[in-house]
Amino acid sequence: MMSSRDSILSQIRQNKPEEVALPAVTTFASNFANTEDKFREMLAAIYTEVIVVKNLEELAQKAEALYQGIVNRATTIPALSAWADFSLNVSDPHELETVEIAIVQAEFGVAENGAVWISDQYLPHRVLPFITQNLAFVIPRNALVDNMHQAYVRLQDTLGWGCFIAGPSKTADIEQSLVIGAHGARSMVIFLLEDE
Amino acid sequence: MSKTVMEHAEASAVFNRDEPYVNWHDETLWFVRQKRDKSSKQLPEWEELREAASGIKHYVLAHLDELLISFEQKAKENGVQVHWAANAAEHNEIVLGLLKKHKIDKMVKSKSMLTEECHMNEFLSKNGIEVIDTDLGERIVQLRNEPPSHIVLPAIHLKKKDIGDLFHEHLGTDAGATDPQYLTEAARQHLRDKFLTRRAALTGVNFAVAETGGFVVSTNEGNADMGAHLADIHIACMGFEKIIPKQEHLGVFLRLLARSATGQPITTYSSHFKKPREGQEMHIVIVDNGRSTQLGRKDFRNSLKCIRCGACMNTCPVYRRSGGHSYHNAVAGPIGSILAPNLDMTKNADLPFASTLCGSCSNVCPVKIDIHEQLYKWRQVLAKEGYVPKSKEIGIRAMSTVLAAPRFYQWSGRLGRTVMRAMPFMVNNALNPWYKQRDMPEPPKESFRDWYVRNRKN
């Protein structure tokens, strides 16, 4: 007897339509007047604050001011190690359940939708940006692309795992009323780092 | 579920008993449709994007075998285990087998319409496995022992009071509480505990990339990621039509998906899975369940282009006024009505008739499926193969007799108008389906033909 794999494939071969080519055009340019302005505009609409910082020193000051009085602060950024009080050096990701705020280095942002790309390359644990109660990303100020087509030009390899994250977690499953903080982060801040 | 299945028209009549409720349902979905319009108009290239998406999906249908083989090979190279299921039963057995192998009897699940189609939760529950749906809307309908009524908005048929009462009973929220913020917080606490204690997570797949062996899962809540990144074993289930050729094509589809679904420029999370994390097992189950048959139906194969955005439901005047449950199929609305007869013509013969054929569904479809034309074509197939209900068949036959004989047509028109004028109760009664929820129009004094004949003489 044929395996399910082979019987599915053979039925597909028998039933598939005639050969066609891929469409010639599958990418488009967005031509925003100002990419960063668009990025900010999209993030404002999804309850995300964008803060420009000149250098890592200013980042540390801003982090201190913004998350005053919060315990269980974690970060992947060495310059913030004095600010953090929670070590990400754990073997079991379940131990991250008490993280209140994580400030995490990420790769780049997308202006058309406010999404930021984060991947295995920047994270000791994949669950960190989801399990933390509050999330902040730090990306270079010049690391912004206009749209998703450009994003995938940049992302030749998505690594083992990666994610576009646009704003805090949300749901509108109860009578279409928007509620921020479904299962993931309850708040999101994006630091645009000028230096480097 | 296991309730007696009512036909669409019958179930719609029940849904329409409460007029203010139906109006609310109608307006809520129309609001979502308007958000889609606003969002799509932000992109000057919107129509070109739809064309590109439709073209890519057309290529997919013509190369499905090669693309699936490439996907399988790459996924295996990435350390992912690939399974193939010819039908729902085999899919369910594969999932059960994986759980049994790991001695797991509790699992979290994020949204997967495929597992609804396969009735997986019921099957696993009968085999001693507890499945917790983690999407808020899905958790709500699961606690109510109901299927989702919409593929993107599973609890869209419920008012916040219904949910408040439900959570009071199951999650111990305050009696009478209806604040969505408060209720969502209660669900967050309840489900966080599940995420932290379950060793297996099942997710759906929005797109699987043949070129890389990776797959993308989109959510707003973050539930797919919370489940998958904490569990020892991640099982991702996909209908085989979810395949796309190249990673760059995600640019096209992710730009269309959320804008079409809810008007958002992108969902909060678009998670790209390729390799399991260290110490984790990752499985992909590729499911046929009638799809290869649909592929062979020339008139209907385009339905396999669907990316499950739900835009056709939000815009459909019949869906909005009959509710998702009246379609008695995992996927409701216009797209569900062209997918369902392929699965079972006897059970789903009513669905292609649950449409006005207005064409709004085809106009909003991000992959340009000719939905209303397929609905029309299904009617012919179903009638020809004898699946059309007797009442409808008698009506159609009577109609064709009248329309085929001009003199008889003129006479019956005159008779009808006279009867409606002289004895309105003959049509304004419960036996006339056109009288439901509306009054019959004033009959004109004469037909257009009579008027034309009279005026031409002058």
Side-chain angles (χ1 to χ4, degrees):
Chain A
M1 213 182 97
M2 255 201 284
S3 68
S4 289
R5 176 189 185 275
D6 294 342
S7 72
I8 292 168
L9 289 172
S10 105
Q11 193 157 350
I12 286 174
R13 274 181 209 116
Q14 211 176 327
N15 287 348
K16 68 180 183 177
E18 274 168 48
E19 163 75 30
V20 286
L22 273 170
V25 182
T26 55
T27 58
F28 302 88
S30 286
N31 303 318
F32 300 128
N34 182 314
T35 303
E36 188 182 311
D37 285 351
K38 185 72 185 175
F39 185 63
R40 287 168 173 277
E41 178 197 326
M42 296 318 288
L43 284 164
I46 48 177
Y47 307 88
T48 300
E49 198 181 348
V50 179
I51 301 172
V52 176
V53 287
K54 279 197 214 61
N55 48 39
L56 290 167
E57 214 163 90
E58 196 187 350
L59 172 67
Q61 288 164 10
K62 286 271 158 76
E64 192 68 54
L66 205 57
Y67 301 109
Q68 234 170 24
I70 292 179
V71 288
N72 294 338
R73 306 179 298 267
T75 188
T76 60
I77 298 168
L80 294 180
S81 58
W83 167 83
D85 66 354
F86 190 106
S87 168
L88 292 173
N89 192 16
V90 295
S91 55
D92 180 356
H94 290 83
E95 290 177 47
L96 303 176
E97 93 173 272
T98 53
V99 174
E100 277 294 322
I101 166 71
I103 302 184
V104 178
Q105 178 73 46
E107 194 166 325
F108 67 94
V110 186
E112 71 160 325
N113 52 29
V116 169
W117 175 256
I118 179 94
S119 69
D120 277 350
Q121 192 186 338
Y122 299 89
L123 288 171
H125 300 285
R126 290 178 182 175
V127 81
L128 180 63
F130 307 93
I131 202 167
T132 180
Q133 297 287 338
N134 300 281
L135 178 63
F137 281 138
V138 180
I139 56 174
R141 192 174 185 184
N142 59 16
L144 295 178
V145 298
D146 277 345
N147 65 29
M148 293 301 283
H149 306 299
Q150 291 176 0
Y152 283 105
V153 171
R154 232 190 125 127
L155 274 182
Q156 288 304 314
D157 185 359
T158 58
L159 302 176
W161 173 83
C163 192
F164 284 106
I165 301 185
S169 131
K170 58 178 176 279
T171 182
D173 275 344
I174 301 177
E175 266 198 32
Q176 282 293 290
S177 312
L178 181 68
V179 177
I180 301 295
H183 300 301
R186 297 173 191 270
S187 77
M188 166 81 108
V189 169
I190 292 171
F191 293 102
L192 295 178
L193 182 62
E194 283 200 73
D195 225 14
E196 287 183 318
Chain B
M1 308 252 130
S2 53
K3 290 165 199 159
T4 334
V5 177
M6 275 193 275
E7 277 199 12
H8 180 273
E10 206 184 331
S12 308
V14 175
F15 190 81
N16 273 274
R17 273 180 204 151
D18 183 350
E19 198 170 323
Y21 166 75
V22 180
N23 291 341
W24 165 80
H25 188 265
D26 176 34
E27 282 157 20
T28 306
L29 285 152
W30 185 248
F31 179 64
V32 182
R33 151 81 208 254
Q34 286 174 313
K35 287 200 286 189
R36 172 251 171 227
D37 290 351
K38 223 175 123 192
S39 180
S40 65
K41 286 185 178 104
Q42 305 279 313
L43 301 187
E45 68 272 33
W46 182 256
E47 289 306 318
E48 288 169 275
L49 266 177
R50 288 176 73 211
E51 196 58 47
S54 188
I56 295 168
K57 283 285 187 174
H58 197 151
Y59 177 91
V60 167
L61 297 185
H63 296 84
L64 258 171
D65 48 340
E66 302 142 52
L67 294 172
L68 286 167
I69 290 168
S70 156
F71 175 76
E72 179 190 40
Q73 188 197 330
K74 294 286 177 187
K76 282 180 167 171
E77 285 169 19
N78 294 334
V80 179
Q81 299 177 46
V82 181
H83 311 261
W84 299 74
N87 51 43
E90 191 175 5
H91 162 268
N92 294 345
E93 287 293 349
I94 289 168
V95 175
L96 178 64
L98 289 170
L99 296 172
K100 277 191 164 163
K101 196 179 127 203
H102 288 81
K103 301 194 168 53
I104 292 173
D105 62 358
K106 291 183 172 74
M107 174 169 78
V108 284
K109 191 185 104 181
S110 71
K111 207 186 279 162
S112 152
M113 291 319 296
L114 175 69
T115 61
E116 294 290 336
E117 174 187 319
C118 295
H119 300 286
M120 183 196 74
N121 284 15
E122 280 168 281
F123 170 82
L124 290 180
S125 148
K126 273 181 201 143
N127 284 279
I129 310 278
E130 177 216 66
V131 182
I132 301 274
D133 283 324
T134 57
D135 171 86
L136 176 59
E138 285 217 313
R139 185 65 182 137
I140 290 167
V141 293
Q142 184 179 40
L143 288 172
R144 284 173 61 94
N145 203 17
E146 276 178 358
S149 68
H150 188 292
I151 58 174
V152 174
L153 319 161
I156 195 71
H157 60 295
L158 296 172
K159 307 276 279 188
K160 55 189 174 191
K161 189 190 167 303
D162 302 323
I163 297 163
D165 293 346
L166 184 78
F167 280 14
H168 173 61
E169 186 190 335
H170 293 274
L171 307 185
T173 52
D174 296 340
T178 57
D179 176 33
Q181 179 90 44
Y182 168 78
L183 295 174
T184 302
E185 182 63 31
R188 177 184 170 103
Q189 303 301 340
H190 159 71
L191 288 165
R192 199 155 251 258
D193 170 62
K194 310 296 179 205
F195 288 127
L196 287 162
T197 51
R198 300 309 189 251
R199 290 168 48 219
L202 188 145
T203 68
V205 170
N206 289 91
F207 306 100
V209 184
E211 175 187 48
T212 65
F215 60 94
V216 173
V217 182
S218 302
T219 73
N220 276 323
E221 299 183 5
N223 53 320
D225 287 280
M226 275 293 272
H229 304 319
L230 287 171
D232 301 339
I233 162 172
H234 174 189
I235 307 171
C237 301
M238 59 178 267
F240 68 47
E241 80 283 14
K242 297 282 175 173
I243 201 96
I244 59 172
K246 296 180 188 173
Q247 181 164 284
E248 65 174 71
H249 295 145
L250 286 169
V252 173
F253 291 106
L254 288 180
R255 296 188 81 196
L256 286 166
L257 178 63
R259 285 185 175 96
S260 297
T262 59
Q264 295 169 255
I266 194 166
T267 53
T268 306
Y269 305 102
S270 309
S271 198
H272 296 52
F273 294 88
K274 206 158 77 182
K275 297 176 182 166
R277 67 168 201 276
E278 223 183 277
Q280 186 195 34
E281 261 186 35
M282 197 179 275
H283 298 263
I284 292 171
V285 189
I286 301 173
V287 183
D288 181 341
N289 201 36
R291 287 163 176 75
S292 57
T293 310
Q294 187 87 324
L295 187 66
R297 299 185 204 270
K298 194 170 160 289
D299 286 340
F300 305 113
R301 61 166 62 114
N302 272 348
S303 62
L304 296 171
K305 292 182 176 180
C306 176
I307 58 171
R308 303 290 192 268
C309 70
C312 61
M313 305 180 187
N314 305 337
T315 200
C316 178
V318 176
Y319 175 89
R320 284 188 275 118
R321 293 201 153 266
S322 61
H325 288 155
S326 63
Y327 292 80
H328 54 80
N329 187 54
V331 182
I335 183 69
S337 301
I338 56 177
L339 293 172
N342 176 58
L343 289 171
D344 189 330
M345 287 202 210
T346 312
K347 275 192 199 156
N348 300 316
D350 55 329
L351 295 185
F353 294 90
S355 165
T356 62
L357 304 182
C358 71
S360 185
C361 45
S362 307
N363 289 336
V364 297
C365 177
V367 289
K368 302 186 87 163
I369 302 171
D370 51 341
I371 305 175
H372 72 293
E373 284 163 23
Q374 293 192 34
L375 286 163
Y376 179 64
K377 286 174 187 165
W378 263 123
R379 295 180 184 185
Q380 336 260 315
V381 172
L382 291 164
K384 213 182 206 169
E385 302 195 8
Y387 291 102
V388 171
K390 269 279 164 282
S391 58
K392 205 153 259 161
E393 208 185 301
I394 292 165
I396 291 170
R397 208 170 299 149
M399 181 87 100
S400 68
T401 311
V402 175
L403 293 181
R407 289 204 170 266
F408 187 48
Y409 171 72
Q410 287 163 33
W411 174 81
S412 44
R414 211 169 301 136
L415 177 70
R417 286 190 296 278
T418 311
V419 169
M420 277 174 79
R421 256 195 313 274
M423 298 175 282
F425 55 87
M426 286 291 283
V427 288
N428 289 341
N429 65 57
L431 293 174
N432 174 12
W434 289 98
Y435 181 63
K436 281 183 203 164
Q437 277 82 41
R438 62 168 96 71
D439 292 323
M440 295 303 288
E442 277 292 309
K445 288 198 176 63
E446 59 183 347
S447 70
F448 172 73
R449 190 185 172 279
D450 293 343
W451 176 90
Y452 184 75
V453 169
R454 185 160 54 78
N455 280 276
R456 245 186 78 176
K457 280 181 194 153
N458 297 341

